[in-house]
Amino acid sequence: MRRTSKERLTEKLACFGRFGADERGGITRLSLSPAALEACGEFRRRCECLGLAVRCDDMGNIYAVKRGTEDLPGPAMGSHADSVVNGGNYDGMLGVLAALEVLETMVLDGISTRRPVSAVIWTNEEGVRFPPAMMSSGVLTGKFDKAAVLDVRDADGVSFGEALSAAGRQGDKAARLGPESCTAYLELHIEQGPVLYESGESIGVVQGVVGMCNYTVSVFGRAGHAGSTPMPRRRDALYAAAGIIRRLHDDLGSIAGGPLFTFGHIECRPNMHTIIPEEVSFSLDARHRDPDVVRRVVEVITSLPKESDGCRVEYREEWARRSTLFDPALTALVKRNADALGYAGRFMFSGPGHDAQYVQDMLPAAMIFVPSIGGLSHCPDEKTSLDDCRNGTDVLLNTVLELADT
Ligand SMILES: [Zn+2]
């Protein structure tokens, strides 16, 4: 079995962790921001120093290719270089640097393969500056319309297309990752949850990404003076919403299979301490790997009463995502390599979404998870031990080498 270098990986994480380091001790590296462009520039510079060909497709995705001995399609690996606001340095970036470390190991150890091996940086995975998330892999796999996403604007009115052009990242459509150039896609990523950390295992072999649905529930009451409206006469939208959230919590919590659900965003209008709330909207995000469980969730939401505590109740589906199953032969190969390296691991599902799940629609794809200390992610305390980072990268290296020689 081949090994990557923990020292080199440590240096890469420290170097790239400077791009977007914010004053609150975290990373703010929004897509196509100066910090993200610096990180991508450093990636490109390092790849060119290794003698790799670097190119960019029309969605700004960056590819570094180590040629094979034959002109054939080959495996690719990668992740994203953008972050959320005040996030950590491991989400996405670890997968990018692991892919770089694999290519560097191949170059420095003189490993040649029959097929080429590529590293990819996906543009705008987080979707924080330009929604939706996983925008570029979504365009490549036909989920989103390219013209529509180029027109999506950030808070300053800059469109995604303008940001791509300004960054010089509107490359060649022919460079896109696809079945003509690529045989399989592997993404190493932090788990972003507590399972591996608590079990003490180093490697999660991801079998798929759970399905989810996302709703907005709105409650309409009547505004009135807080000092003069008698309690029995009130139609308080916030009070009604509290009852509905409680009821949804109980009903969703009793669904067999145990979906995960979150009421993460709430808006109250007019949101003044002297005025009875007139309108309240809240979000409901629910996830489960079994489509039947997600269907049960939808049944609970769609059977909400039209009226509650004197207030009108409406719900609206914002979006939904079906469960993705990764390629079983590829996940088995990842597990075999983890076992051969002597790294403890398990099969598992991902709750968060990743570019790999869209790629699976056009190519065999799989993901390697490494533990998140304390299960934390999307925050400055997001961290993975350097041993686990290296172990995951070793699994990536050996899996990719096997794919590149078949
Ligand atoms: Zn990520």
Side-chain angles (χ1 to χ4, degrees):
M1 302 303 286
R2 300 271 187 176
R3 309 269 169 174
T4 56
S5 161
K6 182 171 145 187
E7 288 67 37
R8 285 198 305 258
L9 201 50
T10 305
E11 183 277 327
K12 288 181 182 67
L13 281 161
C15 170
F16 282 76
R18 292 200 299 270
F19 305 126
D22 62 31
E23 67 287 350
R24 287 183 287 167
I27 299 282
T28 301
R29 196 193 296 125
L30 304 189
S31 191
L32 300 173
S33 66
L37 297 180
E38 268 186 288
C40 291
E42 178 66 14
F43 175 85
R44 176 185 280 265
R45 191 189 65 74
R46 288 182 181 229
C47 289
E48 285 169 351
C49 284
L50 292 169
L52 308 173
V54 181
R55 51 180 206 267
C56 192
D57 72 15
D58 58 324
M59 288 302 293
N61 303 312
I62 298 171
Y63 306 90
V65 185
K66 183 177 184 306
R67 286 195 182 80
T69 54
E70 294 179 43
D71 189 18
L72 293 167
M77 46 190 176
S79 197
H80 59 96
D82 61 327
S83 79
V84 295
V85 174
N86 197 222
N89 190 36
Y90 294 78
D91 178 1
M93 187 50 87
L94 178 62
V96 168
L97 298 181
L100 177 59
E101 172 59 24
V102 166
L103 294 179
E104 191 167 345
T105 302
M106 291 177 69
V107 170
L108 298 182
D109 293 1
I111 303 170
S112 74
T113 50
R114 184 169 163 249
R115 296 173 183 276
V117 177
S118 310
V120 189
I121 300 181
W122 296 104
T123 312
N124 192 29
E125 192 273 349
E126 296 290 358
V128 172
R129 182 176 172 199
F130 302 104
M134 296 153 20
M135 179 188 270
S136 298
S137 57
V139 168
L140 263 60
T141 53
K143 310 276 179 311
F144 307 130
D145 176 59
K146 182 183 162 186
V149 302
L150 287 178
D151 211 31
V152 171
R153 288 176 193 277
D154 69 8
D156 296 326
V158 178
S159 75
F160 180 71
E162 288 162 356
L164 264 188
S165 304
R169 289 267 294 276
Q170 244 169 0
D172 186 1
K173 189 172 176 182
R176 286 183 179 191
L177 184 98
E180 318 73 41
S181 62
C182 183
T183 53
Y185 173 73
L186 284 165
E187 182 162 349
L188 181 143
H189 203 282
I190 55 169
E191 183 199 328
Q192 304 182 281
V195 174
L196 292 172
Y197 179 69
E198 287 177 3
S199 71
E201 291 158 313
S202 214
I203 304 294
V205 182
V206 187
Q207 292 175 294
V209 181
V210 304
M212 61 186 290
C213 61
N214 197 290
Y215 280 79
T216 297
V217 179
S218 300
V219 184
F220 302 92
R222 191 172 56 203
H225 197 291
S228 54
T229 315
M231 297 310 286
R233 303 264 296 273
R234 295 187 180 202
R235 288 163 51 204
D236 181 334
L238 184 55
Y239 176 69
I244 294 164
I245 288 173
R246 180 91 209 189
R247 171 193 174 133
L248 283 169
H249 203 285
D250 290 346
D251 292 351
L252 297 174
S254 66
I255 293 176
L260 298 180
F261 52 91
T262 307
F263 307 94
H265 178 88
I266 187 163
E267 272 176 39
C268 174
R269 277 183 291 272
N271 209 24
M272 304 290 289
H273 78 282
T274 54
I275 306 176
I276 297 164
E278 181 171 36
E279 185 183 336
V280 170
S281 323
F282 61 87
S283 65
L284 168 52
D285 169 305
R287 309 175 186 223
H288 199 275
R289 74 177 72 168
D290 181 350
D292 283 335
V293 174
V294 178
R295 251 193 301 280
R296 294 280 318 281
V297 169
V298 172
E299 278 168 20
V300 167
I301 298 164
T302 53
S303 60
L304 274 174
K306 300 235 176 317
E307 205 183 296
S308 180
D309 293 302
C311 298
R312 184 162 55 86
V313 180
E314 289 180 3
Y315 60 82
R316 183 175 73 238
E317 186 192 67
E318 298 294 347
W319 53 278
R321 179 183 86 195
R322 60 179 173 73
S323 294
T324 301
L325 285 181
F326 287 131
D327 186 78
L330 198 53
T331 50
L333 179 65
V334 172
K335 183 71 168 70
R336 232 179 12 253
N337 276 295
D339 291 345
L341 284 158
Y343 300 150
R346 66 162 64 201
F347 288 108
M348 62 190 298
F349 268 73
S350 173
H354 298 286
D355 290 307
Q357 85 197 62
Y358 284 166
V359 176
Q360 169 65 37
D361 281 351
M362 63 172 176
L363 289 170
M367 292 188 74
I368 302 165
F369 273 177
V370 289
S372 295
I373 294 174
L376 299 175
S377 181
H378 280 190
C379 58
D381 288 337
E382 173 184 284
K383 199 164 169 42
T384 296
S385 81
L386 292 166
D387 281 332
D388 286 330
C389 291
R390 192 267 329 272
N391 293 355
T393 310
D394 285 350
V395 175
L396 183 65
L397 169 70
N398 286 280
T399 308
V400 157
L401 290 182
E402 208 169 322
L403 291 167
D405 270 331
T406 48

